[in-house]
């Protein structure tokens, strides 16, 4: 069905307001983009108002909403169910019957009949049709406390927590726990006596930072009553409000699930059908078409509403220069759904020049100024240089330009902008780069940094600066010419770009790779000259080794041996051990998984704690989930006695935490325990490995190390009496005087761990860590 078109009888061009607006829109798009507005020639323009059908099908379903409350109660007017499954079955039966009743369909039809246009446009999935009086509830036991209303206190063990003092003593009143106090003294600086102060060991606490008996509440016992549970080791369950139960209450209602369809006439042209299908059906009524309700048909659990919609269709054929433009505008707003990319053809010459930016950057910039689209891209290049929003530019031009044309033009203009400024930037670096590199090498060669520190010390009377102040000052002084070159190159490049682009060019052009090459060369020269003595000594070591009567092995040359030692760690993150790599896992905590834990939470906590203490070598009894006892307390106390002093910042956090947190931190190596193995070659190992080495194991390890010292380069093995622990030792001669670089590996229960490479020397016939 169509409505007559208003035409100009001389030119067959529609003259209504909608057609005129569509043509004016195209005229505005081409104006300044390869053509002027007056260049647009309208060949033909027709308007046909077509009638289509809209169909709204709404199915009725039921839904429920849950509200929870603590405790077990019986809400009035609600059906009590045994559990969740019984409740769902009952709701399916009763609410499903309501959904297909004639009353529900009639109520939905009345909702649609009151505002048919608005309902077609705004209804969303799941809109409310009618609240049902049917309500249901059931009781659910609290999963955290199991219905008891109380849970175990997670901050303590047996109602007690470690005292913040750590070791049962108070913080020293004189040094405030630091172990050091400030002492004044006088020294001669070559010109005069200078009064200064220094830190010395506190005489009251002998440097330990602790003194007397703790006054914070433990009285030396190191344990205080838990403030959270008051010593009861039990807390009210917070989720259920200490009631142990929840009431799950459900309210029900009917909702509508709409489905919309567009019914197009069979004689509608394909361009009209394609345009309408690309418009959301909810936007058609009122916005793009005049729509009216035809009929409503209620059914069982469904309602169908049909509408007639009149949609204007404007088709225009135009020409601008050598480009033909055909558009189809659909709807009362004159929206062109499938806009042709005619600006690509109109701007073909401009885009061609911009695409040749690497050959003629100035011509690309000049061409970009001739079109409104490319001028906006040039402005974006000149201000930020960040990637442009291609989709946003295409939307601004209503799809009349392709995204690939916008992206290509932006990339070409950015390249032209940087190329224009590249020549003056290169001149700055060709002249200033060698000077900056020479200055970077001269600063450490002539000791300019150390001289500047000495002058500043004498001028400002600031006392003696640390030894690293000279090299740091030298590095800063060496960097000044480089910083100046970067700034000068940026300013020069920006000035060159402004001569071509104009005063709007605010971004400094990219300087390319040359500045980075010069900077890296200057840094390398500075470091090489600063470390020249060390490099010279290494070369002398190599020369002396080569002049010997018999050539040594590579590992016996000091500098080469050091490189061989540190190369794996520096390049690949591996240890420098000469031991063959192990195919066994690193020694790690082996706590039982969730399937191995008791069901009761309190028993599971005790199980974890005992298992962790056993793995650390402090608990020797049976690992189970029974209540925390004296043997467990003794194992925990034994572990705490091996912790670092309470003044250590790393331990302060654990002393205030629960015992479980302390055990877990020790097990996973978050802080280091003090164990008997620390004074042996096993000292660098983890808490878990050292805690499992007995005195006999350490003796066997020492014997193997002594053998390795006498047979350098030959691996020595050891094994415990029960066969559960063992390891390997390898020693390489280092620095003479009976010293060796020792590689150590231990095995505990099938898991292997390699210690960091350490230096050890023979003292009294034994190989001991230095």
């Amino acid at each position: 069905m169509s409505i007559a078109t208003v035409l100009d009888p001389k030119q067959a061009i529609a003259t209504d307001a909608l057609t005129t607006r569509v043509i004016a829109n195209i005229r505005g798009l081409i104006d300044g983009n390869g053509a002027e507005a007056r260049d647009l020639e309208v060949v033909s323009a027709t308007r046909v108002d077509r009638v289509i059908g809209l169909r709204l099908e709404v199915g009725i379903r039921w839904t429920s909403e849950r509200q929870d409350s603590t405790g077990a109660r019986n809400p009035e007017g609600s059906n009590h169910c045994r559990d969740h499954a019984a409740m769902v079955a009952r709701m399916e039966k009763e609410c499903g019957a309501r959904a297909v009743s004639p009353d529900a369909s009639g109520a939905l039809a009345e909702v649609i009949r009151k505002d048919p246009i608005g309902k077609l446009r705004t209804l969303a999935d799941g809109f409310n049709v009618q609240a049902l009086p049917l309500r249901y509830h059931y009781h659910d036991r609290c999963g955290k406390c199991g219905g008891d209303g109380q849970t175990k206190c997670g901050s303590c063990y047996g109602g007690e927590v470690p005292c913040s003092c750590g070791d049962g003593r108070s913080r020293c009143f004189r040094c405030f726990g630091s172990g050091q106090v400030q002492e004044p003294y006088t020294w001669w600086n070559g010109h005069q006596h200078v009064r200064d102060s220094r830190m010395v060991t506190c005489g009251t606490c002998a440097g330990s930072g602790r003194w007397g008996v703790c006054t914070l509440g433990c009285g030396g016992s190191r344990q205080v009553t838990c403030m959270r549970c008051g010593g009861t080791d039990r807390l009210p369950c917070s989720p259920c409000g200490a009631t142990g139960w929840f009431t799950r209450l459900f309210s029900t209602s009917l909702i509508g699930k709409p489905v919309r369809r567009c019914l197009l006439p069979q004689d509608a042209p394909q361009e009209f059908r394609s345009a309408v299908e690309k418009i959301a059906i909810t936007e058609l009524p009122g916005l793009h078409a005049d729509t009216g309700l035809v009929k409503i048909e209620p059914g069982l659990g469904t309602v169908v509403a049909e509408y007639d919609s009149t949609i204007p269709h404007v088709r225009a054929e135009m020409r601008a220069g050598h480009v033909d433009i055909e558009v189809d505008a659909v709807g009362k707003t004159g929206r062109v759904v499938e806009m042709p990319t005619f600006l690509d053809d109109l701007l073909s010459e401009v885009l061609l020049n911009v695409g040749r930016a690497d050959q003629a950057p100035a011509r690309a910039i000049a061409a970009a100024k001739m079109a409104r689209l490319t001028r906006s891209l040039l402005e974006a290049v000149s201000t930020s240089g960040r990637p442009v929003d291609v989709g946003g530019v295409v939307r601004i031009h209503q799809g009349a330009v392709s995204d690939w044309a916008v992206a290509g033009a932006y990339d070409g203009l950015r390249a032209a902008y940087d190329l224009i400024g590249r020549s003056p930037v290169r001149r700055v670096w060709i002249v200033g780069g060698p000077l900056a590199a020479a200055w970077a090498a001269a600063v450490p060669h002539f000791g300019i940094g150390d001289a500047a520190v000495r002058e500043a010390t004498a001028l400002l009377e600031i006392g003696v600066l640390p030894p690293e102040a000279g090299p740091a000052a030298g590095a800063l002084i060496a960097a000044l010419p480089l910083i100046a070159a970067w700034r000068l190159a940026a300013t020069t490049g920006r000035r060159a770009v402004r001569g071509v682009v104009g005063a709007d060019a605010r971004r400094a052009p990219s300087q390319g790779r040359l500045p980075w090459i010069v900077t890296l060369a200057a840094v390398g020269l500075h470091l090489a000259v600063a470390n020249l003595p060390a490099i010279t000594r290494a070369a002398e070591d190599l020369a002396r080794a080569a002049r010997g009567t018999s050539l040594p092995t590579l590992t016996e040359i000091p500098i080469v041996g050091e490189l061989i030692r540190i190369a794996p760690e520096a390049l690949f993150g591996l240890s420098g051990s000469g031991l063959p790599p192990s195919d066994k896992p690193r020694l790690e905590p082996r706590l039982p998984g969730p399937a191995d834990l008791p069901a009761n939470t309190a028993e599971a906590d005790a199980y974890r704690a005992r298992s962790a203490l056993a793995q650390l070598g402090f608990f020797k009894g049976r690992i189970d989930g029974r209540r925390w006892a004296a043997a467990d307390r003794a194992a925990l106390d034994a572990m705490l006695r091996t912790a670092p002093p309470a003044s250590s910042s790393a331990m302060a956090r654990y002393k205030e935490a629960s015992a479980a947190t302390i055990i877990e931190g020790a097990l996973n190596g978050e802080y280091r325990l003090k164990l008997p193995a620390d004074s042996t070659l096993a000292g660098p190992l983890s808490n878990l490995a050292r805690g499992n080495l007995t005195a006999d194991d350490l003796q066997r390890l020492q014997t193997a190390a002594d053998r390795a010292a006498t047979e350098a380069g030959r691996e020595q093995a050891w094994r415990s009496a029960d066969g559960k622990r063992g390891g390997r030792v390898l020693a390489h001669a280092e620095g003479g005087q009976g010293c060796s670089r020792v590689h150590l590996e231990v095995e505990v229960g099938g898991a292997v761990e390699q210690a960091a490479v350490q230096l050890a020397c023979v003292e009294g016939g034994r190989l001991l860590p230095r």
Side-chain angles (χ1 to χ4, degrees):
M1 178 178 181
S2 304
I3 299 177
T5 307
V6 181
L7 299 175
D8 185 329
K10 296 181 180 180
Q11 300 180 354
I13 297 175
T15 58
D16 62 286
L18 180 60
T19 306
T20 303
R21 186 162 66 248
V22 172
I23 296 173
N25 182 34
I26 303 300
R27 199 183 303 276
L29 288 173
I30 70 167
D31 189 24
N33 283 322
E36 296 183 4
R38 63 175 179 269
D39 296 335
L40 183 68
E41 177 187 355
V42 181
V43 178
S44 66
T46 60
R47 172 181 171 178
V48 178
D49 294 348
R50 305 181 187 278
V51 179
I52 67 171
L54 301 181
R55 182 180 178 89
L56 176 65
E57 300 178 4
V58 184
I60 305 175
R61 304 179 185 177
W62 68 272
T63 186
S64 61
E65 182 177 352
R66 191 180 88 175
Q67 304 89 33
D68 295 340
S69 62
T70 57
R73 62 189 190 90
N74 296 309
E76 295 183 2
S78 175
N79 297 314
H80 183 265
C81 300
R82 183 179 66 260
D83 52 24
H84 181 266
M87 180 209 63
V88 170
R90 187 167 182 177
M91 286 197 300
E92 287 279 1
K93 179 181 178 181
E94 298 177 356
C95 296
R98 292 292 187 98
V100 298
S101 66
D103 293 341
S105 300
L108 177 59
E110 188 63 26
V111 170
I112 297 175
R113 186 178 289 108
K114 287 182 179 179
D115 187 8
I117 304 301
K119 298 308 173 188
L120 178 68
R121 184 167 57 247
T122 62
L123 285 182
D125 291 347
F127 71 95
N128 186 63
V129 174
Q130 186 181 26
L132 295 178
L134 307 177
R135 302 173 68 208
Y136 310 86
H137 76 273
Y138 68 92
H139 298 144
D140 191 10
R141 188 188 302 270
C142 177
K144 184 174 182 180
C145 65
D148 295 338
Q150 287 190 329
T151 59
K152 185 182 182 301
C153 179
S155 300
C156 66
Y157 277 91
E160 291 185 340
V161 296
C163 180
S164 59
C165 68
D167 59 356
R169 295 185 295 171
S170 296
R171 186 172 63 174
C172 178
F173 65 88
R174 186 181 178 195
C175 64
F176 299 102
S178 66
Q180 291 185 320
V181 294
Q182 197 172 38
E183 177 184 76
Y185 76 103
T186 304
W187 61 282
W188 177 254
N189 66 357
H191 300 285
Q192 60 182 353
H193 287 282
V194 180
R195 300 188 64 183
D196 205 340
S197 62
R198 59 189 175 189
M199 301 302 293
V200 298
T201 301
C202 176
T204 303
C205 63
S208 66
R210 315 296 291 173
W211 182 83
V213 179
C214 173
T215 59
L216 298 179
C218 72
S221 66
R222 299 191 300 173
Q223 296 291 323
V224 295
T225 301
C226 176
M227 298 296 294
R228 188 178 179 190
C229 65
T232 63
D233 200 26
R234 305 292 289 175
L235 290 174
C237 180
S238 56
C240 65
T243 62
W245 291 84
F246 290 97
T247 293
R248 316 294 188 187
L249 178 63
F250 292 78
S251 57
T252 58
S253 60
L254 298 180
I255 59 173
K257 295 286 186 178
V259 176
R260 307 172 183 86
R261 288 191 298 166
C262 186
L263 307 176
L264 300 177
Q266 295 294 330
D267 60 346
Q270 182 59 40
E271 57 269 16
F272 172 78
R273 301 173 67 90
S274 299
V276 172
E277 289 172 355
K278 287 182 170 57
I279 300 177
I281 193 171
T282 56
E283 296 180 2
L284 286 172
L287 182 61
H288 293 289
D290 295 326
T291 305
L293 178 64
V294 176
K295 63 178 179 178
I296 295 180
E297 297 180 353
L300 293 180
T302 184
V303 172
V304 178
E306 294 184 356
Y307 308 82
D308 280 341
S309 294
T310 303
I311 305 179
H313 174 209
V314 175
R315 180 171 180 79
E317 297 181 6
M318 295 158 281
R319 182 179 298 110
H322 63 285
V323 178
D324 293 329
I325 305 172
E326 296 182 2
V327 297
D328 286 278
V330 175
K332 296 191 298 181
T333 61
R335 175 182 176 184
V336 181
V337 181
E338 296 180 305
M339 179 72 76
T341 56
F342 55 85
L343 289 183
D344 290 0
D345 297 327
L346 281 175
L347 296 174
S348 59
E349 185 174 353
V350 174
L351 296 176
L352 181 62
N353 287 321
V354 171
R356 296 173 177 172
D358 55 340
Q359 303 173 11
R363 182 182 297 177
I365 297 295
K369 294 181 179 180
M370 298 174 59
R372 180 159 49 92
L373 171 63
T374 48
R375 276 201 304 272
S376 65
L377 295 177
L378 179 59
E379 181 181 357
V381 169
S382 303
T383 53
S384 66
R386 291 189 293 269
V388 72
D389 181 8
V390 175
V393 176
V394 173
R395 286 192 296 272
I396 290 175
H397 293 83
Q398 303 177 36
V401 62
S402 62
D403 53 357
W404 65 265
V406 174
Y410 180 80
D411 292 340
L413 291 175
R414 184 172 180 178
Y417 188 95
D418 292 335
L419 285 172
I420 290 172
R422 190 68 54 81
S423 295
V425 167
R426 186 178 291 110
R427 286 195 296 270
V428 169
W429 281 102
I430 289 176
V431 175
L435 297 177
W439 174 255
V443 167
H445 178 73
F446 294 104
I448 297 176
D450 295 331
V453 170
R454 288 195 300 270
E455 292 295 330
T457 301
L459 180 63
L460 303 177
E461 298 182 356
I462 56 178
V464 179
L465 291 175
E468 61 270 15
L476 178 61
I477 295 172
L480 292 178
L482 286 172
I483 297 173
W486 277 96
R487 295 295 301 272
L488 179 60
T491 303
T492 306
R494 188 185 295 110
R495 187 182 300 114
V497 170
R498 284 180 177 173
V500 178
V501 178
D504 293 336
R506 298 190 296 273
R507 179 177 69 88
S510 172
Q511 299 189 27
R513 297 179 181 178
L514 181 59
W516 292 104
I517 295 174
V518 173
T519 301
L520 291 176
V523 172
L525 283 172
H526 179 83
L527 294 177
V529 175
N531 295 279
L532 187 58
I535 297 174
T536 303
R537 287 194 300 270
E540 292 174 353
D541 289 343
L542 288 172
R544 282 194 298 270
R547 286 197 298 267
T549 55
S550 59
L551 290 177
T553 62
L554 285 178
T555 56
E556 292 176 345
I557 303 175
I559 184 65
V560 178
E562 181 67 15
L563 289 175
I564 292 175
R565 183 186 67 82
I566 67 174
E569 184 174 2
L571 295 178
F572 309 108
L574 304 174
S575 68
S577 173
L579 290 170
S582 173
D583 58 354
K584 296 182 179 179
R586 174 179 168 82
L587 196 65
E588 293 181 353
R590 299 181 297 279
L591 286 172
D596 302 321
L597 296 176
N600 185 277
T601 304
E603 293 181 356
D605 290 342
Y607 194 104
R608 289 191 187 95
R610 289 191 182 91
S611 177
L613 287 172
Q615 291 177 53
L616 288 168
F618 294 102
F619 184 79
K620 304 300 182 182
R622 178 185 176 188
I623 301 176
D624 55 23
R626 59 184 172 78
R627 188 174 179 83
W628 202 250
D632 309 307
R633 176 69 59 188
L636 177 59
D637 289 344
M639 192 203 78
L640 291 176
R641 282 195 295 272
T642 66
S647 59
S648 170
S649 59
M651 267 303 296
R653 180 171 70 257
Y654 292 102
K655 289 300 183 180
E656 297 174 358
S658 64
T661 304
I662 299 175
I663 296 172
E664 184 179 357
L667 184 66
N668 294 287
E670 295 180 22
Y671 68 97
R672 189 168 179 83
L673 299 176
K674 288 186 177 180
L675 297 169
D678 290 348
S679 60
T680 69
L681 292 172
L685 295 172
S686 65
N687 290 338
L688 191 57
R690 291 178 299 122
N692 281 274
L693 295 178
T694 65
D696 183 63
D697 296 339
L698 296 175
Q699 180 61 41
R700 292 171 182 260
L701 186 153
Q702 183 64 50
T703 302
D706 295 339
R707 291 197 306 269
T710 59
E711 302 179 28
R714 186 171 181 179
E715 183 181 297
Q716 303 294 333
W718 66 274
R719 177 64 57 181
S720 65
D722 57 6
K724 295 182 179 180
R725 295 169 301 282
R728 299 181 294 171
V729 185
L730 184 65
H732 292 290
E734 176 75 19
Q737 299 180 353
C739 293
S740 303
R741 192 163 296 277
V742 179
H743 306 266
L744 176 68
E745 179 182 283
V746 298
E747 177 190 350
V748 178
V752 177
E753 179 178 336
Q754 290 184 352
V757 180
Q758 56 187 313
L759 186 65
C761 299
V762 177
E763 298 179 8
R766 313 210 71 180
L767 185 64
L768 301 176
R770 191 168 182 178

